Amino acid sequence: MGAEIPFDVANIPGPETGEVVAPKVIGSYISSAKRPLLVVGSEILRDEFFVELAIELGKKGIPIAATGHSIKGFVEKGYCENVQYYNLHDLTNCLRDPNWAGLDGKGNYDFVIFFGITYYYASQMLSCIKNFATDPLVRAVSIDRYYHPNARMGFANITPRQEEEYKAMLNRVVGSIKRR
Amino acid sequence: MDEIKKGDLFSIAGLENVKISIGEIVEEEGGKDWEPMGPHPMPRIATLRDWDFKLLNRYKPFYAPLCDMCCLCTYGKCDLTGNKKGACGIRMDAQHGRIVLLACLVGCSAHCGHGRHLLHDMIKKFGRDVPIDFGPEVDVEAPLTRLICGIKPRTIGDFEQVFDYIEEQLVQLADALHTGQEGSYMDFESKALHMGMLDSLSKEAADIIQIACYGMPTSHEGGGPNVPLVDVGIGTIDTDKPVVLVIGHNVPPAADIGDYLTDNDLEDNVELAGICCTSIDTTRVYKKAKIASALGRQLRVIRAGIADVVVIDEQCIRADIVELCQRTHSPVIATNDKAMHGLVDRTDDDPDAIVADLVNERVPGVIILDPEQVGEVAVKTALQMDKKRRKLRFILSDDEFKQYVNECTQCGNCTLACPNGMRIGEAMASAASGDIKPLADMFDLCVGCGRCEQVCKKQMPIVDVITKAAYPQLREEKGRMRIGRGPIWDSEIREVGAPIVLGTIPGVIAPIGCGNYPQGTKDAWLIVKEFAERNYIVTLTGCMAIDAALWKDEDGKTLYEQHHGRFDGGGVLNIGSCVSNAHIHDAAIKIASIFAGRKLRGNYEEIADYILSRVGACGVAWGAMSQKAASIATGFNRLGIPAVVGPHSTKYRRAFLGRADVQDDWKIIDASDGSELYFEPGPQHLLVACETVEEALPMIAKLCFRPSDTDRGRSIKLTHYIDLSQKYLNTYPTDWHLFVRSATDLPIAKKTELLKILEDKHEWKIDWKTKRILEGPIRGYDPSFNPTNLKRLVRERK
Ligand code: SF4
Ligand code: SF4
Ligand code: SF4
């Protein structure tokens, strides 16, 4: 696959940029995490499918930080198990601190999955994680319809015409996650 | 009454005689020795470093690099990814502190440069001795100047020493940016805070000078809450008349245009309209002026061809202004040496010769550097160009529109270029099949940058296509706002000091700054509406003040028409242009000085400490765009006022975030006995971004908590915090319990429900008979608690 351009075309951070991969690669990468965290943003509210997909991930035992006003979607679906509102700035600040207790009090995460967050805000927070959450390493991927150069892995830019294809890709990510 | 021990939890019942010591009202003394000099007059870089480090240790700088490299010297480029060091030894975090300092330098220079320039012009025009007299209700005329410089300005000439001080400090701070100087991100941030403070001082000086010289509203008759309303919006400009359009931040040329119109009886024949802060300031000096738009509509107002002449001064002007204006045959007059745009300087030339050159389009524009010479040329040019331009058409025809939307291949290039990622191709396709609504809806979401057009392979004038789709609504863009009122009156501060410090007016919300919104101007309106209706005081300046005026309720009224303009609960105040937002700092300072009797003179640290601990104020720069916005926010922050910003602001690369979960960050001193105690995270952050307005609303309410809140005030603040969370996030906030000190802090209507949650979810111990909290809170409520972060303020135990 050729080099992908960032969704915001000038958003080129520097020498280290993320890889564009297939859904199942992301799925198995997520499977390798000890303590993964799903971070969702307000864009998941644009279609119930995305909220339901997040809930599916939640049901696989991946805790969810609902940033922006995305928590609304979960409350409306009556899913409150594994999900908590967090401001994304605040959350990212915590993620770079190895001593952070996490949402459940059991410690920081080694892996974060960004999903449905306004592109440029997500990009900046991924940049913080890439540059400052390095000891121990927090790995970050994106499963958005955007190419995110600051994530370690993600998809290429997806046009509105490819929406159905995108949904299928997300289903493949979920399907290929194997968790104990 | 039983003695209340520190940390004890108790109910307020039966304590009606408790005296709360928040200081008494002090009267300003006249004369030379108006106040003893405080410890820190004209602070230098290191003077207030201890205060900065107190802030920075609680609200740690957070960096989100926009670029992982440093490209500033020829050792480099250096790759700093992963907090690596560059060739000079600087790390990524310090490099970003450096970039933030640089941004604040640029912003502060804009305010200081503008202020000095203005002072220079005003001294030339009126002399040094124009008195600073804000009328009977304003004795403390220049709180920031008194606080920082230790002087009380009596005439505009007194500000020369203020600018001398600022400029000297600016150079010292700029020096710190050089390779091989500062290496610590904490020290870069301390310097940025120093820069922010200088920025606020520059703004105060600039606004006071223009108020004094042009008789802008103060507490003289017709000022303050009673300032008149003005028309706002593209639809309010009468294009049947010749139109002079002013853009920028420096009012003297526009004031001269107003004078020329008045002197020549042309007020009803020519429209004087503006964009950005100059327009706000023009309405403060010339009654017939109108506000065409804020920053976000600049490109579109120019493209719409409204202007028969465009007069630019400084700041927030598009760099391609001359090229844009050539397309619409609108001659440009540049009036400021900081923005000359390649034009020829014609200052002192014969006005009629200049007009002839402009009208015959022999030159696209001219420079006239003496503001007093602008009026005649601008008005005469507009009168003649109006006749010439009448037959021209600038909005696309129906056929052109159809042709364009059909030509779009939906390649998506525009989306990748658009800062808001707008899916324009999709909207074009829908317009091609007959539904123009998606395109029309983009008019307000678009921030008007024009980047989309640069990349369209079909060379589509995308901005014009969107404008055409939205034309009916654009013609109806007609709002009203109060003209900028300038200073908050001392008498108003006396009225509201207690309710603000006690928390019964839950906060002062200050929506300020540019128009780089994630979801359009309606969010600006919503923020103001929510807080004004909840009895907060809402003080606006700059573009947000303009944008909030564009929307109306069902009865066709804007927020300025629905709400009073007093500095009191429920007020919606347009303070003025960007430089006027110094008066918002000033209001907070005056609460400490007039209401609580703290000495101002040279006493920055103590006043900032008071504000941080007691004044529930929160800035909101929802569309912050420029470097000035960075230095403005940083100035608020050093004074102890937090700010919430929109998601685009994460590109400023730095935030100041508190950690509610790190107990040791939340220690404060009780000045009455010197004891230290843990307290709730109020305010939790100094600078934080939210993704959406729905998230921002409860966050703004949260950042109004202060350790000094009384139980009544805390219960009001909690009511709004919880209510806004439920309204916009459909849920309770996750952290509301952190702010509960005793059962009397709880909103009365929800008390039982909330006590139950505290018991079930947070395992607090509740005595259900008396409905008291026995165990659980971070600290108990103590009405005589006297919070401070400064050890030197500890009074001896009586
Ligand atoms: S200033 Fe330092 S980090 Fe920047 S390019 Fe030069 S050596 Fe590299
Ligand atoms: S860049 Fe031009 S052709 Fe491509 S989608 Fe945008 S408007 Fe259409
Ligand atoms: S002009 Fe509007 S639509 Fe075009 S790139 Fe800028 S914000 Fe997007």
Side-chain angles (χ1 to χ4, degrees), chain A residues 5-16 40-43 67-72 75-76 84-90 92-94 96-97 99-101 116-118 120-121 123-125 127-128 130-132 134 145-146 150 157-161, chain B residues 60-69 79-84 92-93 409-411 415-421 423 426 451 518 647-648 650-651 653-655 657-659 661-662 684-685 687-692 694-695 699 727-731 734:
Chain A
I5 50 170
F7 178 75
D8 188 345
V9 76
N11 183 21
I12 299 165
E16 249 178 57
V40 300
S42 64
E43 285 188 8
T67 70
H69 66 292
S70 63
I71 188 74
K72 259 187 118 158
V75 177
E76 273 160 18
Q84 207 183 101
Y85 163 76
Y86 232 102
N87 166 270
L88 182 58
H89 234 161
D90 196 1
T92 313
N93 190 31
C94 292
R96 69 189 180 129
D97 173 8
N99 298 318
W100 181 44
I117 302 162
T118 301
Y120 45 90
Y121 192 176
S123 180
Q124 289 306 103
M125 297 307 105
S127 157
C128 174
K130 177 172 89 177
N131 283 297
F132 297 108
T134 49
R145 54 189 177 142
Y146 312 119
N150 284 318
N157 295 313
I158 292 162
T159 67
R161 271 183 292 196
Chain B
K60 301 219 168 45
F62 164 101
Y63 296 112
L66 197 55
C67 167
D68 298 342
M69 296 178 293
D79 171 18
L80 307 178
T81 317
N83 209 19
K84 280 201 286 286
M92 176 67 115
D93 48 13
T409 60
Q410 296 182 55
C411 66
T415 302
L416 296 181
C418 176
N420 276 345
R423 309 259 174 180
E426 242 181 312
R451 237 156 67 170
H648 279 296
T650 54
K651 289 176 262 177
R653 308 162 174 87
R654 186 263 274 127
L657 302 169
R659 285 279 299 275
D661 57 317
V662 179
Q684 188 185 339
H685 306 296
L687 187 69
V688 63
C690 289
E691 186 187 8
T692 57
E694 290 89 343
E695 184 186 16
M699 177 67 86
K727 185 166 173 186
Y728 290 100
L729 304 176
N730 267 12
T731 178
T734 39

Side-chain angles (χ1 to χ4, degrees), chain B residues 544-741:
Chain B
M544 248 184 126
I546 299 173
D547 287 327
L550 295 178
W551 298 86
K552 298 178 190 134
D553 65 3
E554 304 78 45
D555 304 329
K557 284 191 166 171
T558 64
L559 291 162
Y560 295 98
E561 293 165 299
Q562 287 174 306
H563 292 267
H564 65 79
R566 295 189 306 282
F567 190 75
D568 198 354
V572 174
L573 292 73
N574 172 21
I575 304 292
S577 63
C578 278
V579 289
S580 302
N581 85 55
H583 303 300
I584 305 173
H585 298 72
D586 289 349
I589 295 168
K590 288 209 258 188
I591 290 170
S593 78
I594 297 175
F595 163 68
R598 300 289 172 113
K599 298 272 183 280
L600 277 191
R601 194 176 189 187
N603 205 12
Y604 189 91
E605 195 180 38
E606 183 175 341
I607 297 296
D609 174 62
Y610 184 92
I611 294 170
L612 178 67
S613 307
R614 294 172 193 262
V615 181
C618 181
V620 185
W622 192 239
M625 175 277 287
S626 65
Q627 296 84 48
K628 288 184 300 167
S631 59
I632 292 172
T634 309
F636 269 116
N637 294 159
R638 195 185 216 190
L639 198 59
I641 301 173
V644 173
V645 291
H648 279 296
S649 298
T650 54
K651 289 176 262 177
Y652 281 120
R653 308 162 174 87
R654 186 263 274 127
F656 290 132
L657 302 169
R659 285 279 299 275
D661 57 317
V662 179
Q663 199 191 21
D664 281 345
D665 287 354
W666 304 98
K667 252 186 168 176
I668 200 160
I669 304 165
D670 188 341
S672 33
D673 63 5
S675 60
E676 260 196 314
L677 73 166
Y678 291 112
F679 74 112
E680 62 283 7
Q684 188 185 339
H685 306 296
L686 265 192
L687 187 69
V688 63
C690 289
E691 186 187 8
T692 57
V693 76
E694 290 89 343
E695 184 186 16
L697 289 161
M699 177 67 86
I700 296 163
K702 173 161 102 164
L703 296 191
C704 288
F705 289 116
R706 292 297 177 277
S708 67
D709 295 337
T710 60
D711 54 350
R712 190 148 159 254
R714 183 58 62 86
S715 98
I716 292 168
K717 291 184 183 187
L718 263 172
T719 303
H720 295 302
Y721 180 39
I722 293 173
D723 191 54
L724 284 164
S725 299
Q726 289 188 312
K727 185 166 173 186
Y728 290 100
L729 304 176
N730 267 12
T731 178
Y732 272 106
T734 39
D735 57 356
W736 64 270
H737 61 286
L738 297 180
F739 304 100
V740 179
R741 300 157 304 179

Side-chain angles (χ1 to χ4, degrees), chain B residues 143-263:
Chain B
L144 281 157
T145 305
R146 292 182 178 204
L147 181 69
I148 299 165
C149 298
I151 61 166
K152 187 162 149 176
R154 300 193 184 275
T155 68
I156 62 163
D158 289 343
F159 281 106
E160 282 179 328
Q161 53 185 311
V162 174
F163 284 115
D164 286 349
Y165 160 69
I166 299 169
E167 285 156 0
E168 192 226 351
Q169 290 301 298
L170 267 176
V171 173
Q172 299 303 321
L173 289 165
D175 179 3
L177 291 164
H178 196 273
T179 302
Q181 302 270 29
E182 192 56 81
S184 146
Y185 72 90
M186 289 286 275
D187 269 304
F188 271 122
E189 292 298 350
S190 166
K191 291 176 168 72
L193 289 165
H194 193 55
M195 189 78 83
M197 183 194 75
L198 300 172
D199 180 275
S200 60
L201 180 61
S202 307
K203 286 181 296 187
E204 183 184 81
D207 208 32
I208 288 180
I209 292 163
Q210 62 179 5
I211 288 172
C213 294
Y214 288 117
M216 290 177 176
T218 55
S219 76
H220 292 297
E221 211 187 313
N226 304 318
V227 290
L229 288 156
V230 59
D231 285 334
V232 181
I234 303 174
T236 65
I237 314 299
D238 182 355
T239 48
D240 284 337
K241 297 178 184 171
V243 178
V244 180
L245 183 74
V246 293
I247 307 176
H249 284 248
N250 181 39
V251 81
D256 186 53
I257 298 168
D259 285 348
Y260 186 84
L261 292 173
T262 309
D263 295 346

Side-chain angles (χ1 to χ4, degrees), chain B residues 346-350 354 368 370 373:
Chain B
R346 303 285 292 271
T347 315
D348 297 328
D349 262 17
D350 169 40
I354 306 176
I368 303 178
D370 186 338
Q373 293 167 7

